[in-house]
Amino acid sequence: MAASPVVLGIESSCDETGAGIVQGGRLLAHVVASSMDEHARFGGVVPEIAARAHLHAFNPVVRQALDRAGLRAEQLDAVAVTTGPGLSGALQVGLAGAKTLAYSLGVPLYGVHHLAGHVAADTLEHGPLPEPCVVLIVSGGHTSLLLVRDLVRAPILHLGDTLDDAAGECFDKVARVFGLPYPGGPAIDRAARGGDPEAVPFPRPLTGGPRANDPYAYSFSFSGLKTAAARWAEGHRQRGERLPVADGAASLQEAVADVLTRKAVAACAEYGVKTLVVVGGVAANSRVRALAERRCASAGIELRVPPMTLCTDNGAMIAAIGDLLVRADAAPAPLTVTIDPSAPLEYAALHPTPLHPRPLRPTPLHPTA
């Protein structure tokens, strides 16, 4: 039996330069170089700094991944790369490097969607995704609720997306108001450990009820929550009172986790889905994980969350998508493939080509799908 293809994945959509190697669904190696420390003094990611950091990190990260896998570049069978969404300059660096590798090695190139990579990250820990499953993607720039059937063959159904700030963005901005360091998500999580999650009655945005009565039942909005937290902090400062950061962080975290998990479990119930997959950087948040575990257990839903090292941006998740595409006999992208910084998530391959003579059509699982 021939060995499974070896796929290199490249991720450079924001401030992490990642390279991962996957063979037959098994992770052989992954390396991440982050430029987060360079952005911290600005309180957020600076696109030009990120692009330059990717340029410096690309070759060392790929070499380290190959070394950890015990492979030579000539043993790679395909290269997958994030082509969107993300920062334009950062994506360009990753794509240029991936094209160079694919062309020089004479192997196919796959341009893939960053968010589909987050979904595929779970397969490296728990195996193939159940069909269907509900996926909650929650990160600094994205908060989406999806119905996923065959990740690389079938269209991905968006149940809802954020209408303004993503959950991670809310954490980052409120952390700055609270005087906590960047990135805000981990800082909020640490501060919350000593606080009371019921101390501040922060709002639960867009939790009106079942979708039959609420068109925003599976949509998200964290801008109002961010504003409420900022006004709460401002009120303490205007009165000359010490800001109880731990209580504020715990209450904010509780509100975010409540909204995310409430909507995700409700979607599973409505669509008759027995598996919830939570991915993205905010999936590393301790309260999001704990509340998801409790609510899924009560509802009889299996919860799958990747290890923390695979929750944030990394090349392993891109290699996982590439591996699935190769094994599904998907046509590779041409070397003229370009980036799409605002690409919608419809398929795992950003510029999909049919895997069969006729494109697959979605089969509704529910009358409202």
Side-chain angles (χ1 to χ4, degrees), residues 70-126:
L71 297 171
R72 304 183 311 278
E74 293 76 16
Q75 293 175 280
L76 296 174
D77 296 298
V79 176
V81 61
T82 301
T83 44
L87 302 175
S88 178
L91 290 168
Q92 290 282 16
V93 173
L95 179 57
K99 283 183 176 182
T100 301
L101 282 171
Y103 180 78
S104 63
L105 296 172
V107 299
L109 175 71
Y110 294 86
V112 305
H113 198 286
H114 174 79
L115 297 185
H118 275 301
V119 178
D122 183 72
T123 67
L124 299 174
E125 178 70 12
H126 299 117

Side-chain angles (χ1 to χ4, degrees), residues 132 134 147 149 157 159 210-212 218 266-273 362-369:
V134 167
L147 182 64
R149 299 178 180 99
L157 177 62
L159 303 179
R211 186 160 71 166
Y218 299 137
C268 289
E270 179 174 349
Y271 285 88
V273 173
T363 302
L365 296 173
H366 189 276
T368 59

Side-chain angles (χ1 to χ4, degrees), residues 238-262:
Q238 287 178 342
R239 294 188 297 270
E241 300 172 352
R242 182 188 65 84
L243 183 65
V245 173
D247 285 347
S251 299
L252 175 76
Q253 184 171 262
E254 186 69 21
V256 171
D258 182 20
V259 171
L260 292 173
T261 58
R262 187 189 306 190

Side-chain angles (χ1 to χ4, degrees), residues 10-356:
I10 301 295
E11 158 61 23
S12 69
S13 65
C14 191
D15 59 342
E16 279 100 6
T17 311
I21 300 174
V22 170
Q23 180 180 32
R26 185 168 64 94
L27 179 61
L28 303 184
H30 88 104
V31 177
V32 176
S34 175
S35 59
M36 187 177 296
D37 290 345
E38 299 177 55
H39 305 285
R41 62 193 178 103
F42 300 102
V45 177
V46 180
E48 180 63 22
I49 292 176
R52 290 177 181 271
H54 289 306
L55 192 61
H56 289 294
F58 184 92
N59 285 338
V61 163
V62 171
R63 282 197 299 267
Q64 288 179 48
L66 288 167
D67 289 344
R68 291 184 185 181
L71 297 171
R72 304 183 311 278
E74 293 76 16
Q75 293 175 280
L76 296 174
D77 296 298
V79 176
V81 61
T82 301
T83 44
L87 302 175
S88 178
L91 290 168
Q92 290 282 16
V93 173
L95 179 57
K99 283 183 176 182
T100 301
L101 282 171
Y103 180 78
S104 63
L105 296 172
V107 299
L109 175 71
Y110 294 86
V112 305
H113 198 286
H114 174 79
L115 297 185
H118 275 301
V119 178
D122 183 72
T123 67
L124 299 174
E125 178 70 12
H126 299 117
L129 292 172
E131 296 181 26
C133 61
V134 167
V135 178
L136 173 65
I137 299 179
V138 55
S139 66
H142 306 278
T143 303
S144 299
L145 200 54
L146 313 171
L147 182 64
V148 177
R149 299 178 180 99
D150 186 315
L151 182 59
V152 299
R153 290 184 174 90
I156 295 168
L157 177 62
H158 280 246
L159 303 179
D161 298 284
T162 185
L163 303 178
D164 41 58
D165 290 355
E169 184 180 1
C170 176
F171 280 150
D172 285 340
K173 291 179 177 178
V174 174
R176 190 168 187 174
V177 172
F178 285 2
L180 297 172
Y182 176 85
I188 291 285
D189 203 353
R190 288 191 299 270
R193 293 170 191 165
D196 178 2
E198 298 181 359
V200 189
F202 286 136
R204 271 55 170 171
L206 299 185
T207 51
R211 186 160 71 166
N213 304 316
D214 181 8
Y216 300 109
Y218 299 137
S219 298
F220 299 93
S221 170
F222 294 104
S223 179
L225 176 59
K226 172 195 68 180
T227 301
R231 288 179 175 169
W232 172 80
E234 181 183 3
H236 278 77
R237 290 176 177 133
Q238 287 178 342
R239 294 188 297 270
E241 300 172 352
R242 182 188 65 84
L243 183 65
V245 173
D247 285 347
S251 299
L252 175 76
Q253 184 171 262
E254 186 69 21
V256 171
D258 182 20
V259 171
L260 292 173
T261 58
R262 187 189 306 190
K263 288 174 179 280
V265 170
C268 289
E270 179 174 349
Y271 285 88
V273 173
K274 294 300 182 182
T275 303
L276 171 65
V277 182
V278 183
V279 296
V282 180
N285 179 273
S286 62
R287 185 53 183 159
V288 171
R289 284 179 175 243
L291 194 54
E293 288 173 0
R294 193 184 81 195
R295 287 181 167 171
C296 283
S298 296
I301 297 168
E302 178 191 7
L303 175 66
R304 293 177 35 156
V305 185
M308 292 182 68
T309 55
L310 295 179
C311 284
T312 53
D313 293 350
N314 62 84
M317 68 187 197
I318 305 305
I321 282 287
D323 174 62
L324 292 172
L325 289 168
V326 170
R327 289 192 281 150
D329 293 324
L335 285 177
T336 55
V337 64
T338 58
I339 64 166
D340 185 349
S342 57
L345 176 56
E346 298 174 345
Y347 291 87
L350 194 53
H351 302 280
T353 53
L355 301 170
H356 300 281

